[in-house]
Amino acid sequence: KTNRLIIPNLPDHIEFLNYKINRSTEIKFLGLTLDENLTWNKHITDISNKLKSLFHIFYNIRDFISEQDIKTIYYSLIYSRIKYGINVYGQAAKTKMKQIQTLQNQ
């Protein structure tokens, strides 16, 4: 098994080559939100909020365009956001991944 050592009293910043680097609990890198414990909670919450904000589009257009066009819009707006980085954040807690699965099934 792998364990993580909790290091007490970490500094709030470090200096390197006259640059001050501040400690942060989370950072966005290449579209993925990394937190200091790699729980992916913030990233999955961000994805969920983005997906929820896009669902009204499908509700409004469902009577006006074909099913094939709706699938194309789904894959370009929803599925692509879920798939991006899934091999990294896919190891998150099952409850968090279920949150995305529930949204995808709507």
Side-chain angles (χ1 to χ4, degrees):
K1 281 193 156 192
T2 303
N3 293 317
R4 181 179 66 90
L5 177 63
I6 298 175
I7 302 171
N9 303 325
L10 285 176
D12 290 334
H13 71 278
I14 59 173
E15 290 190 24
F16 179 73
L17 298 176
N18 295 327
Y19 290 101
K20 184 178 177 182
I21 302 171
N22 293 321
R23 181 177 177 207
S24 177
T25 58
E26 61 190 41
I27 188 168
K28 196 156 195 161
F29 183 70
L30 296 176
L32 298 172
T33 305
L34 304 168
D35 64 24
E36 63 185 349
N37 298 319
L38 291 178
T39 60
W40 302 104
N41 292 339
K42 175 73 169 131
H43 180 72
I44 292 174
T45 301
D46 289 346
I47 288 177
S48 298
N49 291 338
K50 287 178 188 177
L51 296 180
K52 288 175 189 175
S53 70
L54 293 171
F55 284 141
H56 73 279
I57 293 172
F58 294 97
Y59 181 78
N60 292 331
I61 64 173
R62 68 176 187 242
D63 295 329
F64 302 107
I65 61 176
S66 69
E67 185 177 328
Q68 183 61 37
D69 291 339
I70 290 174
K71 283 182 182 179
T72 302
I73 294 170
Y74 167 79
Y75 281 110
S76 63
L77 294 179
I78 306 291
Y79 191 71
S80 62
R81 292 178 192 268
I82 294 172
K83 287 294 280 187
Y84 181 75
I86 190 72
N87 52 348
V88 177
Y89 75 85
Q91 299 300 317
K94 288 184 180 184
T95 55
K96 284 305 211 178
M97 294 306 295
K98 187 176 180 183
Q99 182 180 352
I100 291 179
Q101 185 66 46
T102 302
L103 288 172
Q104 187 178 16
N105 291 342
Q106 287 183 353

